[in-house]
Amino acid sequence: MSVTHETDASFENDVLTAEGPVLVDFWAEWCTMCKGLSRTLEDMAEDSEGAFVLAKLNVETHPELAKQLGVQSLPTVTLYRDGEVIDSFTGQLPKMHIRSFLKRNMTD
């Protein structure tokens, strides 16, 4: 499974200059919905067989980066490809909706 834990220093290399799609999970320890969504995303990353990398960014420990990236509510999930935002969603979605989100955005 390809999961990274992002910092201000690693975000550009791990997300913006990464080859292939990167799904960024913006979360915080106090966010109950974030915890459930994070487990779902981790399971999906494992099942994806490398189709995307899951990058997790704790907005409490990296608030300036989250602000620069426009994160306004939690949980927020953003899909990047070639350094560009492809799509995003907020809130805890059911697994079938996340699958649809990925399918819709990962096909060229």
Side-chain angles (χ1 to χ4, degrees):
M1 169 170 65
S2 189
V3 176
T4 62
H5 296 273
E6 297 308 313
T7 65
D8 295 336
S10 67
F11 191 84
E12 182 174 349
N13 187 59
D14 291 349
V15 177
L16 300 180
T17 61
E19 291 186 23
V22 180
L23 192 66
V24 181
D25 176 17
F26 295 95
W27 66 282
E29 191 65 41
W30 54 263
C31 175
T32 305
M33 283 195 304
C34 294
K35 293 175 185 176
L37 180 61
S38 287
R39 283 190 292 277
T40 299
L41 295 174
E42 289 167 8
D43 289 346
M44 294 178 82
E46 185 174 321
D47 294 344
S48 78
E49 299 178 351
F52 67 92
V53 171
L54 176 61
K56 300 173 68 61
L57 182 83
N58 184 334
V59 301
E60 287 181 306
T61 55
H62 304 287
E64 284 303 312
L65 180 57
K67 183 178 176 183
Q68 288 173 0
L69 296 169
V71 176
Q72 296 181 344
S73 62
L74 294 180
T76 292
V77 176
T78 303
L79 182 65
Y80 288 82
R81 186 182 310 130
D82 300 324
E84 299 292 324
V85 173
I86 302 300
D87 202 354
S88 65
F89 66 87
T90 58
Q92 184 176 5
L93 297 180
K95 197 170 196 174
M96 66 181 203
H97 290 277
I98 300 170
R99 275 196 196 106
S100 295
F101 170 88
L102 290 169
K103 185 176 182 178
R104 177 177 70 246
N105 290 298
M106 301 220 348
T107 54
D108 293 327

